[in-house]
Amino acid sequence: MAGTLEVSLWRGGADGRYVGYEVPMRDSQTVLDVVTWVQRNADATLSYRFACRVGMCGSCAMTVNGRPRWTCRTHVSKVASDGKLKVGPLENLPVIKDLAADMRPFFEKWQQAQGRFAPSKTRTDPIERISPDSPARLAANAAIECINCGVCYAACDTVRWNPDYLGPAALNRAWTLVNDVRDAANVERLTAVAADSGCHACHSHQSCQEHCPVALNPTASIAGLKRKTAQAYLRGEIKP
Amino acid sequence: MNVRLYIWQRLTAALMVPLLLVHIAVIFYASRKGLSAADILARTRGSVSWALFYGVFVSAVAVHASIGLRTVLTEWTPLRGRTRDFAVIAFGLLLAVLGFRAVVAVVLP
């Protein structure tokens, strides 16, 4: 494939601007390939983040022509409009420099939502038998493959309007643990996600589901948390 | 919105669905039958049923709208914490006062 792409990349911090580059078109070229080409051939000071390049690690998410995407698995031919590409850092997060967003608020909210496994047994106990067909395991499986890329967080209107909102990824993670029968911290977890700016702040716009690169449905997970927390509250198990 | 407010908002919404349908049906009935203000007052004055119906409706509206406004203020304004909560409680009380004033005006004999 011959020709040139007109590429605009965000340069600088929050007060930066888009800078134009001309990048040669290639067959099967990804947006990450384009960004890498600019850094290797046009400006070595360009900052961006990536690791695996195969859609496993969740490091390379950026805003591509207005939509948050995983750049390593996004083909230029599918997203470039008239040979033009505009790439910026993820939205709803502070900009460190150029295309690298500061992911700290995103991961701090995972901690706030108690998104870590709390073991209920020790290594001397026998391994718990969990039927793959049990409803709880099926619910956890449906949400478990999150790669922590931050695309849903950048796409979420509620995060944009309410910066305290825990966001789709952290709540989706909490939902997998709520459905893990081995976990011992569900009272704390349900209390955390039932507080102000927790799961009940979600408006079910479903942008997270629409944009999730691994086709998860965080809106469904959040709906599950709404039900679970409401039941727990009515039974007196948690207090808001 | 926390889980307590969520449950109140959903409960009042569920309560308002049948009340709203009856309310709209009553409006259609009154206008189609050409009822005058005097005809309507003749039906509502001294009626415990209409007092209960609209009393519950006004209460549900005041609670439901205040919780919704709290979310709107959180997302669209810098108001947070007690300032926001006092503002929505004042709004809810205003709705309740205006609503009950109207209910009293049509049901007191």
Side-chain angles (χ1 to χ4, degrees):
Chain A
M1 188 187 288
T4 308
L5 283 167
E6 275 181 53
V7 181
S8 292
L9 301 181
W10 183 262
R11 300 306 309 267
D15 55 351
R17 66 199 165 87
Y18 280 96
V19 176
Y21 300 90
E22 290 199 343
V23 178
M25 277 186 185
R26 301 268 188 262
D27 282 333
S28 303
Q29 191 175 23
T30 66
V31 175
L32 186 63
D33 293 337
V34 169
V35 172
T36 301
W37 188 95
V38 172
Q39 199 210 39
R40 290 189 183 168
N41 298 284
D43 186 348
T45 68
L46 177 67
S47 301
Y48 65 107
R49 194 186 285 121
F50 76 98
C52 75
R53 298 174 297 157
V54 291
M56 297 293 290
C57 73
S59 308
C60 68
M62 300 172 201
T63 307
V64 182
N65 283 358
R67 288 175 65 120
R69 293 182 182 278
W70 54 354
T71 56
C72 69
R73 298 285 299 268
T74 301
H75 279 247
V76 171
S77 57
K78 294 208 173 136
V79 293
S81 50
D82 300 330
K84 290 180 183 162
L85 212 53
K86 191 174 186 181
V87 185
L90 281 181
E91 295 188 8
N92 296 341
L93 289 161
V95 183
I96 299 173
K97 179 178 170 282
D98 302 340
L99 305 173
D102 185 350
M103 300 298 284
R104 276 178 297 184
F106 176 75
F107 287 112
E108 278 160 10
K109 286 177 179 175
W110 277 56
Q111 295 301 320
Q112 255 178 282
Q114 308 288 315
R116 55 190 174 274
F117 178 66
S120 55
K121 299 194 168 169
T122 68
R123 66 183 63 192
T124 55
D125 291 313
I127 292 172
E128 180 123 8
R129 293 176 68 86
I130 298 169
S131 164
D133 303 328
S134 66
R137 194 59 233 169
L138 289 173
N141 281 350
I144 203 82
E145 296 292 347
C146 175
I147 58 170
N148 322 341
C149 62
V151 162
C152 58
Y153 191 84
C156 178
D157 294 322
T158 312
V159 172
R160 189 181 308 271
W161 298 328
N162 177 8
D164 296 332
Y165 173 49
L166 293 174
L171 292 169
N172 182 73
R173 170 67 181 158
W175 175 242
T176 63
L177 291 168
V178 162
N179 285 294
D180 190 333
V181 294
R182 302 165 304 160
D183 191 277
N186 271 328
V187 172
E188 293 86 342
R189 187 169 297 113
L190 290 177
T191 303
V193 301
D196 234 5
S197 302
C199 61
H200 301 100
C202 168
H203 289 292
S204 307
H205 287 176
Q206 304 187 57
S207 298
C208 49
Q209 178 196 5
E210 170 71 20
H211 291 84
C212 177
V214 288
L216 300 184
N217 186 353
T219 315
S221 301
I222 295 168
L225 285 177
K226 287 177 180 174
R227 286 194 300 275
K228 278 272 183 194
T229 49
Q231 286 163 3
Y233 174 68
L234 292 173
R235 288 182 192 136
E237 293 162 10
I238 61 166
K239 291 192 174 102
Chain B
M1 193 191 307
N2 62 36
V3 64
R4 190 194 306 137
L5 295 176
Y6 172 80
I7 287 173
W8 273 105
Q9 202 184 33
R10 263 44 181 188
L11 276 180
T12 49
L15 191 60
M16 282 192 296
V17 170
L19 299 182
L20 187 69
L21 291 175
V22 173
H23 176 60
I24 290 171
V26 166
I27 291 171
F28 271 97
Y29 176 81
S31 53
R32 299 278 289 192
K33 292 278 178 182
L35 295 186
S36 66
D39 296 332
I40 293 169
L41 286 176
R43 288 164 166 79
T44 57
R45 285 209 163 135
S47 164
V48 176
S49 310
W50 284 122
L52 273 177
F53 179 88
Y54 278 108
V56 171
F57 201 169
V58 164
S59 310
V61 167
V63 171
H64 188 85
S66 316
I67 298 171
L69 182 67
R70 184 178 182 273
T71 301
V72 173
L73 291 180
T74 305
E75 294 182 356
W76 290 12
T77 74
L79 285 182
R80 289 287 186 281
R82 283 190 172 182
T83 319
R84 173 199 58 194
D85 291 347
F86 280 133
V88 299
I89 288 168
F91 176 73
L93 288 175
L94 177 71
L95 281 182
V97 167
L98 292 175
F100 280 118
R101 192 166 151 263
V103 174
V104 166
V106 294
V107 299
L108 272 194

